[in-house]
């Protein structure tokens, strides 16, 4: 069986879901911090390779929600992209599994559960329409775990990312289940998207690391772009450091910044069909559109490196849809949480009860971790910070920083009428 993996950071994290699901010959197309539109871009950029796959696994609900909350992308635009993604998955003729990733709201900066549920509902509507397989981690994690319980932090390391060992085990389970349980469907030619790589007089360079490999256009001179049958809705970039692009067209200019990682950047402007583009070098310009995980800089030293653009066509294809089956929930493949909780508690209890053993260097590292993690969490989750600092005190009762911070935490929680 050959797998094509699409998704965001939950499908990229080292030793996690990707490494459990995929083997060497599989198509690993997941890119961090990207939603449904990136999945569409990957499907078209690698269309020939996908034809040799048996199963497509896609996860994008987490970043679809994040794009609305943090980047302020229009909600209806994200919902439209979700609809388009499911048709693009359907038309490949491959077996499809949708992974709905979870969120635990540790901080006020995280998106609301109402928004998460709304986007999850948009995905479920399409899952039902097309009859895809799906796994809903929201039901297992978000709705059953208490964010104030220290064990929850072990399973959900932050608002949006489950423990990598847990995700690795899930990937193994999925591969084992589908190894002899997939079928082919009819491939459809019609699509509302395609990719293009306008380069002008610019050179092409190859860039790769242990995860990705791309041929990239180095945008050193201005490029003219003329799209006669649609509009540009995104661009895949991989510059050497933070870079900026200037897009000039009749209805004004677009300035967009990109980080130094391989990323698909959605373009919100509704009418980019005929324009010129160039890298901005020197003093940074004020971005007219936001981008995910971009650190603003005062000076731009490097040109934009990009692989391709995604075009949305002006005319929609008529779609003949025959659901493949009654949508099948595969939540039984989700690993049992109890062993993970047990290993976490064993680790803490073992090291707390053996603070005077001979392995002082190991204990010191554990205490430093607990102390530093507690301090990191104090402005995000005071209850969890207090629990971590108590564990650090058990191991190092005379530590001055630990004693001071523990007293501070206890005072703050007392004011909040917490039972300590």
């Amino acid at each position: 069986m050959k797998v094509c993996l699409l998704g965001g950071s939950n499908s990229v994290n080292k030793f996690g879901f990707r490494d459990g699901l995929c083997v060497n010959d599989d198509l690993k197309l997941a890119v961090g911090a990207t939603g449904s539109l990136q999945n569409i871009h990957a499907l078209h950029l690698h269309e020939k390779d996908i034809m040799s796959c048996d199963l497509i696994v896609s996860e994008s609900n987490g970043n679809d929600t994040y794009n609305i909350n943090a980047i302020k992308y229009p909600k209806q635009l994200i919902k439209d992209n979700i609809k388009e993604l499911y048709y693009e998955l359907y038309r490949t003729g491959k077996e499809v599994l949708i992974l709905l990733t979870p969120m635990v709201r540790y901080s006020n900066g995280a998106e609301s559960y109402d928004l998460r549920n709304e986007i999850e509902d948009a995905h479920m509507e399409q899952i039902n329409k097309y009859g895809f397989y799906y796994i809903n981690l929201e039901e297992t994690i978000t709705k059953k775990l208490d964010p104030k319980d220290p064990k929850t932090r072990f399973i959900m390391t932050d608002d949006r990312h489950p423990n990598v060992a847990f995700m690795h085990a899930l990937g193994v389970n999925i591969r084992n289940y589908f190894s002899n349980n997939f079928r082919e469907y009819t491939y459809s030619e019609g699509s509302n998207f395609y990719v293009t790589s306008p380069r002008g007089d610019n050179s092409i360079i190859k860039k790769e690391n242990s995860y990705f490999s791309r041929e990239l256009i180095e945008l050193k001179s201005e490029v003219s772009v003329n799209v006669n049958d649609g509009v540009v809705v995104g661009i895949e970039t991989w510059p050497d450091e933070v870079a900026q692009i200037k897009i000039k067209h009749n209805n004004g200019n677009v300035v967009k910044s990109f980080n130094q990682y391989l990323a698909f950047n959605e373009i919100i402007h509704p009418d980019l069909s005929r324009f010129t583009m160039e890298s901005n070098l020197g003093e940074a310009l004020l971005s007219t559109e936001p981008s995910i995980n971009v650190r603003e800089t005062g000076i731009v030293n490097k040109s934009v490196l990009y692989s391709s653009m995604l075009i949305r066509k002006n005319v929609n294809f008529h779609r003949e849809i025959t659901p493949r089956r009654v949508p099948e929930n595969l939540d039984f493949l989700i690993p049992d949480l109890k062993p993970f909780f047990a290993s976490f508690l064993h680790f803490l209890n073992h090291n707390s009860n053996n603070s005077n053993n001979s392995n002082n260097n190991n204990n010191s590292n554990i205490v430093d971790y607990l102390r530093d993690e507690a301090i990191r969490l104090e402005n995000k989750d005071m209850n969890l910070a207090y629990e971590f600092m108590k564990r650090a005190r058990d191991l190092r009762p005379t530590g001055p920083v630990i004693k001071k911070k523990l007293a501070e935490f206890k005072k703050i929680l007392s004011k909040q009428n917490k039972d300590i």
Side-chain angles (χ1 to χ4, degrees):
M1 181 182 73
K2 186 172 181 178
V3 175
C4 170
L5 175 60
L6 306 170
S9 52
N10 277 308
S11 296
V12 176
N13 287 336
K14 195 172 184 180
F15 307 124
F17 183 66
R18 188 182 83 159
D19 291 337
L21 174 69
C22 298
V23 297
N24 290 340
D25 293 335
D26 289 340
L27 203 55
K28 309 172 189 76
L29 304 181
V31 176
T34 48
S36 290
L37 203 60
Q38 184 275 336
N39 282 206
I40 296 173
H41 174 263
L43 287 170
H44 283 270
L45 187 64
H46 305 275
E47 187 167 17
K48 291 183 179 179
D49 294 326
I50 290 171
M51 290 302 100
S52 66
C53 293
D54 304 298
L55 171 69
I56 299 175
V57 179
S58 172
E59 56 98 354
S60 68
N61 66 302
N63 285 319
D64 288 331
T65 312
Y66 182 80
N67 285 346
I68 299 171
N69 180 61
I71 311 301
K72 309 305 179 187
Y73 286 176
K75 187 190 301 183
Q76 189 56 52
L77 176 63
I78 297 298
K79 288 184 175 181
D80 290 343
N81 291 341
I82 292 169
K83 291 180 181 179
E84 296 286 358
L85 169 61
Y86 279 78
Y87 175 69
E88 295 296 326
L89 291 168
Y90 176 84
R91 63 177 285 272
T92 64
K94 304 299 177 181
E95 203 73 90
V96 175
L97 168 66
I98 304 298
L99 181 63
L100 297 173
T101 59
M103 183 195 77
V104 174
R105 197 167 189 265
Y106 292 125
S107 62
N108 291 331
E111 53 267 25
S112 69
Y113 288 123
D114 286 343
L115 178 58
R116 289 284 295 202
N117 290 337
E118 185 175 351
I119 295 303
E120 182 183 316
D121 289 344
H123 279 271
M124 283 303 308
E125 180 181 354
Q126 300 304 308
I127 289 170
N128 290 326
K129 178 178 180 179
Y130 291 98
F132 291 159
Y133 291 104
Y134 70 100
I135 293 175
N136 192 344
L137 289 172
E138 287 274 7
E139 294 292 333
T140 299
I141 294 182
T142 303
K143 297 181 181 179
K144 292 184 179 179
L145 299 183
D146 181 1
K148 296 179 181 179
D149 187 337
K151 298 193 301 296
T152 298
R153 180 71 73 167
F154 182 68
I155 293 296
M156 287 294 293
T157 56
D158 58 31
D159 295 318
R160 303 172 186 86
H161 298 95
N163 178 296
V164 291
F166 172 83
M167 292 298 289
H168 185 280
L170 175 61
V172 170
N173 290 350
I174 291 171
R175 185 169 196 92
N176 289 339
Y177 177 80
F178 278 100
S179 289
N180 296 300
N181 193 29
F182 61 85
R183 56 177 291 192
E184 288 281 334
Y185 300 89
T186 303
Y187 169 76
S188 173
E189 291 286 348
S191 174
N192 292 329
F193 295 88
Y194 66 91
V195 293
T196 184
S197 301
R199 58 175 288 199
D201 296 326
N202 294 293
S203 59
I204 295 178
I205 63 172
K206 187 170 184 178
K207 188 173 182 179
E208 59 185 349
N209 59 23
S210 60
Y211 272 65
F212 307 111
S213 177
R214 289 288 191 277
E215 288 190 345
L216 301 166
I217 299 167
E218 189 173 15
L219 189 58
K220 283 193 169 183
S221 62
E222 186 178 84
V223 173
S224 295
V225 180
N226 293 293
V227 181
N228 296 319
D229 57 350
V231 295
V232 177
V233 293
I235 180 172
E236 185 181 69
T237 60
W238 194 0
D240 294 328
E241 57 185 60
V242 175
Q244 281 192 324
I245 195 170
K246 295 188 295 185
I247 298 174
K248 301 176 183 178
H249 63 106
N250 292 335
N251 296 325
N253 298 332
V254 173
V255 177
K256 202 167 180 72
S257 299
F258 309 121
N259 63 32
Q260 70 271 29
Y261 305 108
L262 178 63
F264 181 81
N265 305 272
E266 300 186 20
I267 295 177
I268 304 174
H269 194 285
D271 189 29
L272 284 185
S273 56
R274 291 177 174 80
F275 57 90
T276 61
M277 62 181 186
E278 61 182 334
S279 297
N280 176 55
L281 298 174
E283 185 176 353
L285 300 174
L286 181 65
S287 295
T288 61
E289 287 192 9
S291 296
I292 296 176
N293 297 337
V294 175
R295 173 183 54 82
E296 293 297 335
T297 182
I299 301 295
V300 181
N301 298 310
K302 297 284 188 176
S303 299
V304 172
L305 300 176
Y306 66 97
S307 69
S308 56
M309 295 178 172
L310 181 65
I311 310 298
R312 188 198 304 269
K313 297 176 182 177
N314 291 329
V315 179
N316 287 338
F317 281 96
H318 176 66
R319 301 171 175 178
E320 296 289 344
I321 304 299
T322 302
R324 294 180 175 176
R325 64 179 66 80
V326 175
E328 190 166 342
N329 181 283
L330 302 183
D331 283 0
F332 61 86
L333 297 177
I334 298 174
D336 188 351
L337 293 176
K338 294 185 184 69
F340 293 92
F341 288 148
S343 65
F344 173 66
L345 293 174
H346 175 76
F347 168 79
L348 288 181
N349 291 330
H350 174 78
N351 287 286
S352 295
N353 294 332
N354 292 279
S355 58
N356 294 318
N357 67 20
S358 59
N359 195 355
N360 291 327
N361 288 334
N362 185 49
N363 275 334
S364 179
N365 291 335
I366 293 168
V367 176
D368 289 347
Y369 168 78
L370 291 169
R371 179 200 63 203
D372 295 344
E373 189 69 6
I375 292 172
R376 186 184 72 83
L377 291 168
E378 64 178 300
N379 293 322
K380 297 181 179 180
D381 189 333
M382 180 54 70
N383 287 283
L384 187 59
Y386 181 73
E387 290 296 327
F388 272 56
M389 198 64 80
K390 279 202 304 182
R391 294 287 185 173
R393 179 202 58 191
D394 293 340
L395 291 164
R396 190 183 292 164
T398 60
V401 174
I402 293 172
K403 291 168 64 177
K404 178 184 176 183
K405 297 300 291 187
L406 192 62
E408 290 178 6
F409 294 173
K410 186 172 183 178
K411 185 177 181 180
I412 291 171
L413 289 174
S414 296
K415 287 182 179 179
Q416 297 175 355
N417 296 316
K418 299 291 183 182
D419 183 15
I420 300 172

